[in-house]
Amino acid sequence: MSADPAAAGAAAGPAAGAGRPAVQDPLDLTIANAAVFDGERLLDADTVTVSGGTVTGIGRGLDPVGRVVDAHGALLAPGFVDAHAHPVFAGVEALAFDVSQTTSAAEVLAAVRAALPQGEGWLTGGGWSMAHFPGGAPLASQLDEAGAAVGSDRPIQLINRDHHSAWVNTAALRIAGIDRTTQPPPGGVIERDEHGEPTGTLHESAMDLVAAHIPPESPEELRAGLLHGQAAMHGLGITGYIDAIVGDYSGHGDSLAAYVAAEAAGELTMEVNGSLWWGRDIADVEAEAARLAARRVDSPRLRTTQVKFMLDGIVESMTAAMAQPYRCACGGTGTQYFAREHLRAAFAAISAAGLDIHCHAIGDAASTEALDAFEALAAAGDRSDARHHIAHIQVVDPADIPRFAQLGITANMQALWACYEDQMVELNMPVLGEERSGWQYPFGDLARAGAPLAMGSDWPVSSPDPWQAIHVAVNRSHPTAVRPEPLLPHQALRLETALAAYTSGSARLARTHTAGRLRVGAPADFALADANPFALPAQELHTVGTLLTAAGGRLVHADPQVTL
Protein backbone atom coordinates (compact mmCIF):
# COMPACT_ATOMS: atom_id res chain seq x y z
CA MET A 1 0.00 0.00 0.00
CA SER A 2 1.34 3.39 -0.93
CA ALA A 3 0.40 7.02 -0.78
CA ASP A 4 -1.11 8.72 -3.77
CA PRO A 5 1.18 9.70 -6.66
CA ALA A 6 -1.60 11.96 -7.91
CA ALA A 7 -1.87 14.32 -4.91
CA ALA A 8 -4.73 12.76 -3.00
CA GLY A 9 -6.29 15.94 -1.75
CA ALA A 10 -6.26 17.71 -5.09
CA ALA A 11 -9.16 15.71 -6.43
CA ALA A 12 -10.96 15.34 -3.16
CA GLY A 13 -11.49 18.86 -1.86
CA PRO A 14 -14.63 20.96 -2.08
CA ALA A 15 -14.01 21.88 -5.71
CA ALA A 16 -14.27 18.24 -6.72
CA GLY A 17 -17.97 18.22 -6.04
CA ALA A 18 -18.63 21.69 -7.41
CA GLY A 19 -21.34 22.05 -10.02
CA ARG A 20 -25.03 22.65 -10.22
CA PRO A 21 -27.64 21.47 -7.71
CA ALA A 22 -26.85 18.05 -6.27
CA VAL A 23 -30.29 16.48 -6.85
CA GLN A 24 -32.89 17.52 -9.41
CA ASP A 25 -36.17 16.13 -10.75
CA PRO A 26 -36.09 12.84 -12.69
CA LEU A 27 -34.21 13.36 -15.92
CA ASP A 28 -35.62 13.89 -19.37
CA LEU A 29 -32.41 14.02 -21.37
CA THR A 30 -30.67 12.93 -24.54
CA ILE A 31 -26.91 12.45 -24.77
CA ALA A 32 -26.02 12.57 -28.46
CA ASN A 33 -22.79 12.06 -30.42
CA ALA A 34 -21.21 9.99 -27.67
CA ALA A 35 -19.05 6.90 -27.50
CA VAL A 36 -21.12 4.53 -25.33
CA PHE A 37 -19.74 1.95 -22.90
CA ASP A 38 -22.31 -0.15 -21.02
CA GLY A 39 -20.08 -1.43 -18.22
CA GLU A 40 -18.68 -4.36 -20.17
CA ARG A 41 -17.92 -3.19 -23.71
CA LEU A 42 -18.14 -0.34 -26.20
CA LEU A 43 -21.46 -0.42 -28.00
CA ASP A 44 -22.40 0.31 -31.59
CA ALA A 45 -24.31 3.36 -30.39
CA ASP A 46 -23.94 7.12 -30.21
CA THR A 47 -27.11 8.19 -28.38
CA VAL A 48 -28.73 7.51 -25.02
CA THR A 49 -32.19 8.79 -24.13
CA VAL A 50 -33.65 9.17 -20.65
CA SER A 51 -37.31 9.83 -19.85
CA GLY A 52 -38.64 10.30 -16.34
CA GLY A 53 -35.30 9.20 -14.97
CA THR A 54 -35.31 5.86 -16.84
CA VAL A 55 -33.06 4.93 -19.76
CA THR A 56 -35.42 4.51 -22.70
CA GLY A 57 -33.01 4.02 -25.58
CA ILE A 58 -29.39 3.19 -26.45
CA GLY A 59 -28.56 3.23 -30.14
CA ARG A 60 -28.04 5.36 -33.22
CA GLY A 61 -30.30 7.98 -34.72
CA LEU A 62 -32.76 7.90 -31.81
CA ASP A 63 -35.46 10.53 -31.52
CA PRO A 64 -34.39 13.02 -28.84
CA VAL A 65 -36.10 13.22 -25.46
CA GLY A 66 -36.07 16.37 -23.35
CA ARG A 67 -32.91 18.43 -23.27
CA VAL A 68 -30.16 17.43 -25.69
CA VAL A 69 -26.49 17.40 -24.70
CA ASP A 70 -23.97 17.06 -27.52
CA ALA A 71 -21.12 14.91 -26.21
CA HIS A 72 -18.85 15.83 -29.13
CA GLY A 73 -17.53 12.26 -29.25
CA ALA A 74 -16.80 11.95 -25.52
CA LEU A 75 -17.42 8.77 -23.55
CA LEU A 76 -20.74 8.04 -21.85
CA ALA A 77 -20.30 5.19 -19.38
CA PRO A 78 -22.08 3.88 -16.30
CA GLY A 79 -21.29 5.71 -13.10
CA PHE A 80 -18.13 4.40 -11.51
CA VAL A 81 -18.42 2.16 -8.46
CA ASP A 82 -15.51 2.44 -6.04
CA ALA A 83 -14.99 -1.04 -4.59
CA HIS A 84 -12.99 0.08 -1.55
CA ALA A 85 -13.17 3.59 -0.10
CA HIS A 86 -13.66 5.46 3.17
CA PRO A 87 -15.67 8.53 2.13
CA VAL A 88 -16.94 9.40 5.61
CA PHE A 89 -13.41 9.44 7.04
CA ALA A 90 -12.24 11.38 3.98
CA GLY A 91 -14.98 13.96 4.35
CA VAL A 92 -14.40 14.39 8.08
CA GLU A 93 -10.67 14.91 7.47
CA ALA A 94 -11.24 17.32 4.62
CA LEU A 95 -13.56 19.42 6.78
CA ALA A 96 -11.12 19.33 9.72
CA PHE A 97 -7.30 19.49 9.60
CA ASP A 98 -6.26 18.08 6.24
CA VAL A 99 -2.58 17.96 5.23
CA SER A 100 -2.97 15.55 2.30
CA GLN A 101 -1.87 18.15 -0.22
CA THR A 102 1.43 18.89 1.48
CA THR A 103 4.58 17.89 -0.39
CA SER A 104 7.18 17.85 2.41
CA ALA A 105 7.67 17.55 6.16
CA ALA A 106 8.28 21.29 6.31
CA GLU A 107 4.87 22.00 4.76
CA VAL A 108 3.11 19.70 7.23
CA LEU A 109 4.79 21.37 10.20
CA ALA A 110 3.97 24.83 8.86
CA ALA A 111 0.33 23.78 8.63
CA VAL A 112 0.46 22.49 12.22
CA ARG A 113 1.88 25.79 13.47
CA ALA A 114 -0.91 27.65 11.70
CA ALA A 115 -3.66 25.36 13.04
CA LEU A 116 -2.66 25.08 16.70
CA PRO A 117 -3.71 28.61 17.80
CA GLN A 118 -7.15 28.19 16.19
CA GLY A 119 -8.66 25.90 18.81
CA GLU A 120 -8.39 24.07 22.10
CA GLY A 121 -8.07 20.46 23.12
CA TRP A 122 -6.89 17.81 20.68
CA LEU A 123 -5.64 18.73 17.20
CA THR A 124 -6.54 15.79 14.98
CA GLY A 125 -6.50 15.31 11.25
CA GLY A 126 -4.38 13.54 8.72
CA GLY A 127 -2.93 13.08 5.29
CA TRP A 128 0.85 13.17 5.82
CA SER A 129 3.03 10.96 3.64
CA MET A 130 5.51 8.49 5.11
CA ALA A 131 7.89 9.22 2.24
CA HIS A 132 8.43 12.74 3.58
CA PHE A 133 10.11 11.44 6.76
CA PRO A 134 13.22 9.27 7.23
CA GLY A 135 12.15 5.66 7.54
CA GLY A 136 8.52 6.76 7.24
CA ALA A 137 8.49 7.63 10.95
CA PRO A 138 8.13 11.32 11.97
CA LEU A 139 9.06 12.39 15.50
CA ALA A 140 7.08 13.70 18.44
CA SER A 141 9.82 16.28 18.93
CA GLN A 142 8.96 17.84 15.56
CA LEU A 143 5.37 18.41 16.69
CA ASP A 144 6.59 19.57 20.11
CA GLU A 145 8.76 22.23 18.46
CA ALA A 146 5.86 23.34 16.24
CA GLY A 147 3.70 23.77 19.32
CA ALA A 148 6.39 25.62 21.25
CA ALA A 149 6.83 28.04 18.35
CA VAL A 150 3.22 29.24 18.76
CA GLY A 151 2.92 28.78 22.52
CA SER A 152 0.64 25.75 22.34
CA ASP A 153 0.67 22.58 24.44
CA ARG A 154 -2.33 20.94 22.73
CA PRO A 155 -2.09 17.17 22.27
CA ILE A 156 -1.79 16.20 18.60
CA GLN A 157 -2.61 13.07 16.63
CA LEU A 158 -2.23 13.09 12.83
CA ILE A 159 -3.10 9.98 10.82
CA ASN A 160 -1.02 9.32 7.73
CA ARG A 161 -2.44 8.99 4.22
CA ASP A 162 -2.83 5.24 4.35
CA HIS A 163 -4.48 5.32 7.81
CA HIS A 164 -2.12 2.67 9.17
CA SER A 165 0.10 5.00 11.22
CA ALA A 166 -0.34 7.91 13.61
CA TRP A 167 2.08 10.75 14.41
CA VAL A 168 1.65 12.10 17.91
CA ASN A 169 3.38 14.67 20.10
CA THR A 170 4.74 14.21 23.61
CA ALA A 171 1.54 15.56 25.17
CA ALA A 172 -0.47 12.83 23.42
CA LEU A 173 2.00 10.14 24.49
CA ARG A 174 1.74 11.38 28.07
CA ILE A 175 -2.09 11.35 28.06
CA ALA A 176 -2.07 7.79 26.72
CA GLY A 177 0.56 6.70 29.24
CA ILE A 178 2.94 5.48 26.53
CA ASP A 179 6.56 5.25 27.68
CA ARG A 180 9.53 2.90 27.40
CA THR A 181 7.71 0.24 29.46
CA THR A 182 4.57 0.20 27.29
CA GLN A 183 4.01 -2.99 25.35
CA PRO A 184 2.18 -2.59 22.03
CA PRO A 185 -1.10 -4.44 21.58
CA PRO A 186 -1.06 -7.48 19.27
CA GLY A 187 -0.28 -6.36 15.74
CA GLY A 188 0.86 -2.90 16.83
CA VAL A 189 4.26 -1.23 16.57
CA ILE A 190 5.58 1.64 18.69
CA GLU A 191 8.56 3.33 17.04
CA ARG A 192 11.38 3.74 19.59
CA ASP A 193 14.84 5.26 19.78
CA GLU A 194 18.02 3.41 20.76
CA HIS A 195 17.10 3.78 24.43
CA GLY A 196 13.64 2.26 23.98
CA GLU A 197 11.81 5.56 24.33
CA PRO A 198 8.76 6.06 22.05
CA THR A 199 9.62 8.51 19.26
CA GLY A 200 6.12 9.58 18.20
CA THR A 201 4.97 7.21 15.44
CA LEU A 202 2.49 4.42 16.14
CA HIS A 203 1.58 1.75 13.61
CA GLU A 204 -1.54 -0.40 13.24
CA SER A 205 -3.24 -1.37 16.52
CA ALA A 206 -0.77 0.74 18.54
CA MET A 207 -2.70 3.75 17.24
CA ASP A 208 -5.60 2.68 19.44
CA LEU A 209 -3.58 3.50 22.55
CA VAL A 210 -3.95 7.22 21.76
CA ALA A 211 -7.25 7.04 19.87
CA ALA A 212 -8.96 5.78 23.04
CA HIS A 213 -8.40 9.20 24.61
CA ILE A 214 -9.76 11.29 21.72
CA PRO A 215 -13.48 12.14 21.66
CA PRO A 216 -15.18 10.37 18.73
CA GLU A 217 -16.75 12.39 15.94
CA SER A 218 -20.25 13.61 16.68
CA PRO A 219 -23.19 12.41 14.57
CA GLU A 220 -23.28 15.87 12.98
CA GLU A 221 -19.60 15.68 12.04
CA LEU A 222 -20.01 12.21 10.54
CA ARG A 223 -23.04 13.26 8.51
CA ALA A 224 -21.26 16.39 7.25
CA GLY A 225 -18.28 14.24 6.29
CA LEU A 226 -20.51 11.78 4.47
CA LEU A 227 -22.21 14.50 2.43
CA HIS A 228 -18.90 16.19 1.62
CA GLY A 229 -17.44 12.89 0.45
CA GLN A 230 -20.54 12.09 -1.59
CA ALA A 231 -20.41 15.42 -3.43
CA ALA A 232 -16.71 15.04 -4.16
CA MET A 233 -17.20 11.54 -5.60
CA HIS A 234 -20.21 12.55 -7.71
CA GLY A 235 -18.02 15.25 -9.23
CA LEU A 236 -15.70 12.47 -10.42
CA GLY A 237 -18.44 10.37 -12.00
CA ILE A 238 -18.89 7.96 -9.07
CA THR A 239 -22.41 6.80 -8.28
CA GLY A 240 -21.78 3.87 -5.94
CA TYR A 241 -19.15 2.56 -3.59
CA ILE A 242 -18.23 0.04 -0.94
CA ASP A 243 -17.41 1.78 2.33
CA ALA A 244 -14.63 -0.50 3.53
CA ILE A 245 -15.40 0.02 7.26
CA VAL A 246 -18.75 1.07 8.74
CA GLY A 247 -19.96 1.11 12.32
CA ASP A 248 -17.79 1.70 15.38
CA TYR A 249 -14.11 1.50 14.50
CA SER A 250 -10.89 2.59 16.24
CA GLY A 251 -12.41 5.38 18.31
CA HIS A 252 -14.51 6.84 15.50
CA GLY A 253 -18.23 7.51 15.83
CA ASP A 254 -20.85 5.20 14.33
CA SER A 255 -20.67 5.88 10.60
CA LEU A 256 -23.46 3.39 9.88
CA ALA A 257 -25.86 5.54 11.90
CA ALA A 258 -24.79 8.52 9.78
CA TYR A 259 -25.66 6.60 6.61
CA VAL A 260 -29.03 5.51 7.93
CA ALA A 261 -29.88 9.09 8.92
CA ALA A 262 -28.77 10.46 5.53
CA GLU A 263 -30.91 7.97 3.63
CA ALA A 264 -33.93 8.63 5.84
CA ALA A 265 -33.55 12.35 5.09
CA GLY A 266 -33.29 11.75 1.33
CA GLU A 267 -29.69 12.97 1.30
CA LEU A 268 -28.01 9.74 0.19
CA THR A 269 -27.70 9.83 -3.59
CA MET A 270 -24.99 7.16 -3.84
CA GLU A 271 -25.60 3.43 -3.78
CA VAL A 272 -23.52 2.34 -0.79
CA ASN A 273 -22.61 -1.07 0.53
CA GLY A 274 -20.97 -0.85 3.94
CA SER A 275 -18.50 -3.45 5.19
CA LEU A 276 -19.16 -4.24 8.85
CA TRP A 277 -15.96 -4.45 10.89
CA TRP A 278 -14.73 -7.80 12.25
CA GLY A 279 -12.74 -7.00 15.40
CA ARG A 280 -9.36 -8.46 16.22
CA ASP A 281 -10.38 -9.86 19.60
CA ILE A 282 -13.50 -11.87 18.75
CA ALA A 283 -13.81 -15.00 20.90
CA ASP A 284 -17.19 -16.39 19.79
CA VAL A 285 -17.35 -16.28 15.99
CA GLU A 286 -20.91 -17.61 15.80
CA ALA A 287 -22.20 -14.92 18.16
CA GLU A 288 -20.32 -12.16 16.36
CA ALA A 289 -21.55 -13.30 12.96
CA ALA A 290 -25.11 -13.25 14.29
CA ARG A 291 -24.58 -9.77 15.79
CA LEU A 292 -23.32 -8.40 12.48
CA ALA A 293 -26.13 -10.08 10.53
CA ALA A 294 -28.58 -8.30 12.84
CA ARG A 295 -27.05 -4.98 11.73
CA ARG A 296 -27.69 -5.81 8.08
CA VAL A 297 -29.38 -3.07 6.08
CA ASP A 298 -30.85 -3.68 2.63
CA SER A 299 -32.66 -0.56 1.49
CA PRO A 300 -32.79 1.25 -1.86
CA ARG A 301 -29.56 3.26 -1.49
CA LEU A 302 -27.86 1.54 1.45
CA ARG A 303 -26.81 -2.04 2.06
CA THR A 304 -24.53 -3.69 4.61
CA THR A 305 -24.02 -7.14 3.17
CA GLN A 306 -20.28 -7.48 3.76
CA VAL A 307 -17.91 -8.09 6.67
CA LYS A 308 -14.41 -6.58 6.62
CA PHE A 309 -11.31 -8.46 7.79
CA MET A 310 -8.01 -6.60 8.16
CA LEU A 311 -5.67 -9.55 7.71
CA ASP A 312 -2.35 -7.70 7.95
CA GLY A 313 -0.72 -4.26 7.87
CA ILE A 314 1.34 -2.55 5.18
CA VAL A 315 4.81 -2.92 3.70
CA GLU A 316 5.91 0.61 4.64
CA SER A 317 5.84 -0.21 8.36
CA MET A 318 6.83 -3.86 7.74
CA THR A 319 3.52 -5.03 9.19
CA ALA A 320 2.25 -6.63 5.96
CA ALA A 321 2.31 -10.41 6.43
CA MET A 322 5.07 -11.98 4.36
CA ALA A 323 5.96 -15.64 3.86
CA GLN A 324 9.68 -14.81 4.16
CA PRO A 325 11.40 -12.17 6.32
CA TYR A 326 11.77 -8.58 5.21
CA ARG A 327 15.19 -7.55 3.97
CA CYS A 328 16.02 -5.35 6.94
CA ALA A 329 17.60 -5.50 10.37
CA CYS A 330 14.24 -6.35 11.96
CA GLY A 331 14.21 -9.75 10.26
CA GLY A 332 10.48 -10.10 10.84
CA THR A 333 7.66 -11.34 8.60
CA GLY A 334 5.04 -8.77 9.56
CA THR A 335 1.70 -9.24 11.27
CA GLN A 336 -1.14 -11.69 10.74
CA TYR A 337 -4.09 -10.59 12.84
CA PHE A 338 -6.00 -13.87 12.86
CA ALA A 339 -5.07 -17.46 13.54
CA ARG A 340 -5.82 -19.88 10.71
CA GLU A 341 -8.57 -21.75 12.56
CA HIS A 342 -10.23 -18.52 13.68
CA LEU A 343 -10.31 -17.24 10.13
CA ARG A 344 -11.84 -20.43 8.75
CA ALA A 345 -14.47 -20.60 11.46
CA ALA A 346 -15.31 -16.90 11.03
CA PHE A 347 -15.62 -17.19 7.24
CA ALA A 348 -17.98 -20.15 7.61
CA ALA A 349 -20.17 -18.36 10.16
CA ILE A 350 -20.36 -15.15 8.14
CA SER A 351 -21.20 -16.83 4.86
CA ALA A 352 -23.82 -18.99 6.58
CA ALA A 353 -25.38 -15.74 7.84
CA GLY A 354 -25.76 -14.61 4.20
CA LEU A 355 -22.97 -12.04 4.25
CA ASP A 356 -20.02 -11.54 1.89
CA ILE A 357 -16.38 -11.39 3.00
CA HIS A 358 -14.13 -8.40 2.25
CA CYS A 359 -10.44 -8.89 3.09
CA HIS A 360 -7.56 -6.43 3.35
CA ALA A 361 -4.42 -8.30 2.27
CA ILE A 362 -1.12 -6.61 1.41
CA GLY A 363 1.54 -9.27 1.94
CA ASP A 364 1.84 -12.58 0.10
CA ALA A 365 1.22 -14.57 3.29
CA ALA A 366 -2.01 -12.66 3.94
CA SER A 367 -3.36 -13.41 0.46
CA THR A 368 -2.40 -17.07 0.80
CA GLU A 369 -4.10 -17.32 4.18
CA ALA A 370 -7.27 -15.72 2.82
CA LEU A 371 -7.35 -18.01 -0.21
CA ASP A 372 -6.77 -21.06 2.02
CA ALA A 373 -9.75 -20.03 4.17
CA PHE A 374 -11.91 -19.44 1.09
CA GLU A 375 -10.87 -22.84 -0.26
CA ALA A 376 -11.93 -24.48 3.01
CA LEU A 377 -15.22 -22.60 2.83
CA ALA A 378 -15.83 -23.79 -0.72
CA ALA A 379 -15.02 -27.37 0.21
CA ALA A 380 -17.58 -27.23 3.01
CA GLY A 381 -20.24 -25.87 0.64
CA ASP A 382 -20.32 -22.09 0.36
CA ARG A 383 -23.37 -20.14 -0.83
CA SER A 384 -23.74 -20.08 -4.60
CA ASP A 385 -24.47 -16.35 -4.58
CA ALA A 386 -21.46 -15.36 -2.43
CA ARG A 387 -19.37 -12.42 -3.62
CA HIS A 388 -16.18 -12.57 -1.59
CA HIS A 389 -13.15 -10.45 -2.40
CA ILE A 390 -9.57 -9.61 -1.45
CA ALA A 391 -8.60 -5.94 -1.61
CA HIS A 392 -5.18 -4.39 -2.26
CA ILE A 393 -3.29 -7.59 -3.30
CA GLN A 394 0.04 -5.78 -3.34
CA VAL A 395 2.37 -8.78 -3.09
CA VAL A 396 0.92 -12.05 -4.36
CA ASP A 397 2.78 -15.33 -4.67
CA PRO A 398 2.55 -16.35 -8.37
CA ALA A 399 1.33 -19.77 -7.24
CA ASP A 400 -1.78 -18.10 -5.82
CA ILE A 401 -2.79 -16.27 -9.01
CA PRO A 402 -4.90 -19.11 -10.51
CA ARG A 403 -6.72 -19.65 -7.20
CA PHE A 404 -8.65 -16.38 -7.48
CA ALA A 405 -10.44 -17.66 -10.60
CA GLN A 406 -10.73 -21.22 -9.33
CA LEU A 407 -12.44 -20.07 -6.13
CA GLY A 408 -14.41 -17.20 -7.70
CA ILE A 409 -12.69 -14.64 -5.43
CA THR A 410 -12.68 -11.12 -6.86
CA ALA A 411 -9.38 -9.28 -7.01
CA ASN A 412 -10.27 -5.83 -5.64
CA MET A 413 -7.54 -3.61 -7.14
CA GLN A 414 -6.30 -0.21 -5.97
CA ALA A 415 -4.45 0.41 -9.19
CA LEU A 416 -3.12 3.90 -8.47
CA TRP A 417 -0.39 2.39 -6.27
CA ALA A 418 1.07 0.21 -9.05
CA CYS A 419 3.79 2.61 -10.19
CA TYR A 420 7.15 3.99 -9.08
CA GLU A 421 5.73 6.55 -6.66
CA ASP A 422 7.85 7.76 -3.75
CA GLN A 423 6.79 5.25 -1.08
CA MET A 424 7.18 2.39 -3.55
CA VAL A 425 10.76 3.40 -4.32
CA GLU A 426 11.88 4.53 -0.87
CA LEU A 427 9.97 2.30 1.56
CA ASN A 428 8.60 -0.77 -0.27
CA MET A 429 11.16 -2.14 -2.72
CA PRO A 430 14.19 -1.92 -0.38
CA VAL A 431 12.55 -4.20 2.21
CA LEU A 432 10.82 -6.51 -0.26
CA GLY A 433 13.86 -7.35 -2.33
CA GLU A 434 14.05 -8.07 -6.04
CA GLU A 435 11.93 -11.24 -6.27
CA ARG A 436 8.97 -10.01 -4.21
CA SER A 437 9.12 -6.57 -5.82
CA GLY A 438 8.38 -8.42 -9.05
CA TRP A 439 5.21 -9.92 -7.51
CA GLN A 440 3.53 -6.58 -6.91
CA TYR A 441 0.03 -5.74 -8.13
CA PRO A 442 -0.23 -8.64 -10.62
CA PHE A 443 -3.33 -7.31 -12.37
CA GLY A 444 -2.40 -8.59 -15.82
CA ASP A 445 -1.74 -12.12 -14.58
CA LEU A 446 -5.02 -12.12 -12.65
CA ALA A 447 -6.94 -10.99 -15.74
CA ARG A 448 -5.28 -13.60 -17.93
CA ALA A 449 -6.09 -16.27 -15.34
CA GLY A 450 -9.78 -15.33 -15.50
CA ALA A 451 -10.12 -13.84 -12.02
CA PRO A 452 -13.13 -11.57 -11.44
CA LEU A 453 -11.87 -7.96 -11.22
CA ALA A 454 -13.07 -4.88 -9.38
CA MET A 455 -11.39 -1.56 -8.75
CA GLY A 456 -11.40 1.12 -6.07
CA SER A 457 -9.35 3.94 -4.61
CA ASP A 458 -9.06 3.46 -0.82
CA TRP A 459 -9.76 7.20 -0.55
CA PRO A 460 -8.49 9.12 1.47
CA VAL A 461 -5.33 7.01 1.12
CA SER A 462 -5.40 7.96 -2.56
CA SER A 463 -7.34 10.22 -4.88
CA PRO A 464 -10.89 9.00 -5.53
CA ASP A 465 -10.57 10.01 -9.21
CA PRO A 466 -11.12 6.79 -11.22
CA TRP A 467 -9.26 8.11 -14.24
CA GLN A 468 -6.03 8.44 -12.26
CA ALA A 469 -6.26 4.79 -11.22
CA ILE A 470 -7.24 3.65 -14.72
CA HIS A 471 -4.25 5.57 -16.12
CA VAL A 472 -1.91 3.56 -13.87
CA ALA A 473 -3.71 0.27 -14.51
CA VAL A 474 -3.16 0.73 -18.25
CA ASN A 475 0.30 2.34 -18.17
CA ARG A 476 1.77 1.08 -14.87
CA SER A 477 3.11 4.61 -14.48
CA HIS A 478 1.83 8.09 -13.67
CA PRO A 479 3.09 11.56 -14.68
CA THR A 480 3.67 12.47 -11.01
CA ALA A 481 5.65 9.31 -10.17
CA VAL A 482 9.28 9.73 -9.13
CA ARG A 483 10.41 7.36 -11.88
CA PRO A 484 8.75 7.55 -15.31
CA GLU A 485 9.24 3.97 -16.47
CA PRO A 486 6.41 1.48 -16.00
CA LEU A 487 6.38 -0.83 -12.99
CA LEU A 488 6.19 -4.42 -14.28
CA PRO A 489 4.62 -3.44 -17.63
CA HIS A 490 3.49 -7.01 -18.31
CA GLN A 491 0.95 -6.53 -15.50
CA ALA A 492 -0.86 -3.71 -17.34
CA LEU A 493 -4.56 -4.00 -18.19
CA ARG A 494 -6.37 -3.12 -21.37
CA LEU A 495 -8.43 0.06 -21.07
CA GLU A 496 -11.69 -1.80 -21.63
CA THR A 497 -10.78 -4.31 -18.89
CA ALA A 498 -9.90 -1.58 -16.39
CA LEU A 499 -13.06 0.40 -17.16
CA ALA A 500 -15.22 -2.71 -16.78
CA ALA A 501 -13.58 -3.47 -13.42
CA TYR A 502 -14.36 0.06 -12.17
CA THR A 503 -18.01 -0.16 -13.29
CA SER A 504 -19.75 -3.52 -13.63
CA GLY A 505 -17.04 -5.48 -11.78
CA SER A 506 -17.30 -3.29 -8.71
CA ALA A 507 -21.09 -3.07 -9.06
CA ARG A 508 -21.31 -6.84 -8.74
CA LEU A 509 -19.39 -6.77 -5.45
CA ALA A 510 -21.42 -3.84 -4.13
CA ARG A 511 -24.68 -5.57 -5.13
CA THR A 512 -25.91 -2.30 -6.59
CA HIS A 513 -29.31 -2.05 -8.23
CA THR A 514 -28.30 0.37 -10.99
CA ALA A 515 -24.86 1.93 -10.33
CA GLY A 516 -22.11 0.63 -12.58
CA ARG A 517 -24.37 -0.50 -15.43
CA LEU A 518 -26.05 1.27 -18.35
CA ARG A 519 -29.20 -0.57 -19.38
CA VAL A 520 -32.48 0.26 -21.13
CA GLY A 521 -35.31 0.13 -18.62
CA ALA A 522 -33.10 0.93 -15.62
CA PRO A 523 -32.81 4.25 -13.76
CA ALA A 524 -30.25 6.49 -15.45
CA ASP A 525 -26.84 5.94 -13.95
CA PHE A 526 -23.98 7.40 -15.96
CA ALA A 527 -20.88 9.55 -16.12
CA LEU A 528 -20.30 11.71 -19.19
CA ALA A 529 -16.58 12.29 -19.66
CA ASP A 530 -15.02 15.30 -21.34
CA ALA A 531 -13.11 13.13 -23.84
CA ASN A 532 -13.14 9.67 -25.38
CA PRO A 533 -10.36 7.76 -23.60
CA PHE A 534 -10.44 5.07 -26.30
CA ALA A 535 -9.35 7.73 -28.81
CA LEU A 536 -6.59 9.18 -26.60
CA PRO A 537 -2.97 8.06 -26.33
CA ALA A 538 -2.72 5.86 -23.24
CA GLN A 539 -0.33 8.36 -21.67
CA GLU A 540 -3.14 10.94 -21.55
CA LEU A 541 -5.78 8.94 -19.68
CA HIS A 542 -5.10 10.89 -16.48
CA THR A 543 -6.39 14.06 -18.20
CA VAL A 544 -9.96 12.73 -18.57
CA GLY A 545 -12.56 14.55 -16.47
CA THR A 546 -16.30 14.33 -15.81
CA LEU A 547 -18.95 16.70 -17.19
CA LEU A 548 -22.21 15.12 -15.99
CA THR A 549 -23.11 12.49 -13.42
CA ALA A 550 -26.54 10.92 -13.03
CA ALA A 551 -27.52 8.55 -10.22
CA GLY A 552 -30.87 6.94 -9.57
CA GLY A 553 -32.39 8.74 -12.55
CA ARG A 554 -31.43 12.22 -11.30
CA LEU A 555 -28.65 14.61 -12.11
CA VAL A 556 -26.18 14.79 -9.19
CA HIS A 557 -23.30 16.68 -10.82
CA ALA A 558 -23.00 19.04 -13.76
CA ASP A 559 -19.87 20.88 -14.79
CA PRO A 560 -20.63 24.59 -15.32
CA GLN A 561 -19.39 24.38 -18.92
CA VAL A 562 -22.27 22.05 -19.89
CA THR A 563 -25.33 23.80 -21.29
CA LEU A 564 -28.53 22.24 -19.99
Side-chain angles (χ1 to χ4, degrees), residues 88-169:
V88 178
F89 296 162
V92 168
E93 285 184 7
L95 294 172
F97 182 57
D98 180 15
V99 294
S100 61
Q101 296 187 60
T102 56
T103 60
S104 67
E107 286 188 16
V108 177
L109 291 166
V112 170
R113 288 192 296 272
L116 282 170
Q118 298 177 20
E120 298 178 353
W122 284 86
L123 175 63
T124 60
W128 56 274
S129 171
M130 297 179 79
H132 296 159
F133 300 90
L139 304 174
S141 59
Q142 293 171 290
L143 293 176
D144 295 344
E145 292 167 6
V150 294
S152 172
D153 60 357
R154 296 173 65 186
I156 303 170
Q157 177 189 261
L158 303 178
I159 306 300
N160 73 334
R161 286 183 185 175
D162 59 40
H163 281 227
H164 287 262
S165 302
W167 178 18
V168 298
N169 66 350

Side-chain angles (χ1 to χ4, degrees), residues 206-357:
M207 295 189 292
D208 297 342
L209 298 175
V210 171
H213 298 272
I214 300 173
E217 298 91 354
S218 69
E220 294 75 20
E221 289 171 323
L222 290 170
R223 193 161 170 181
L226 165 60
L227 297 179
H228 180 93
Q230 176 175 263
M233 296 177 89
H234 278 329
L236 298 167
I238 301 166
T239 60
Y241 61 81
I242 294 172
D243 189 319
I245 301 174
V246 298
D248 299 311
Y249 166 73
S250 189
H252 293 282
D254 188 352
S255 58
L256 179 55
Y259 277 114
V260 171
E263 183 173 34
E267 297 170 335
L268 190 64
T269 51
M270 288 282 187
E271 279 198 78
V272 179
N273 198 325
S275 294
L276 299 161
W277 177 247
W278 186 269
R280 294 168 180 158
D281 57 355
I282 304 300
D284 187 334
V285 297
E286 297 286 347
E288 181 63 6
R291 187 187 74 83
L292 294 177
R295 295 205 79 188
R296 176 168 178 167
V297 177
D298 198 352
S299 56
R301 311 299 296 175
L302 177 64
R303 284 167 288 286
T304 55
T305 63
Q306 304 188 359
V307 176
K308 169 71 174 294
F309 284 79
M310 184 84 74
L311 299 185
D312 65 344
I314 60 173
V315 172
E316 288 87 340
S317 60
M318 287 168 284
T319 54
M322 310 302 298
Q324 299 297 322
Y326 286 97
R327 296 186 59 182
C328 63
C330 72
T333 57
T335 300
Q336 286 185 292
Y337 286 119
F338 302 103
R340 172 169 295 192
E341 292 310 312
H342 176 96
L343 202 63
R344 295 186 180 195
F347 279 19
I350 290 163
S351 189
L355 299 170
D356 300 323
I357 297 164

Side-chain angles (χ1 to χ4, degrees), residues 6 47 87 203 292 317 323 383 393 423 435 447 504 509 538:
T47 305
H203 303 295
L292 294 177
S317 60
R383 303 179 354 257
I393 50 173
Q423 290 189 192
E435 182 180 37
S504 60
L509 285 189

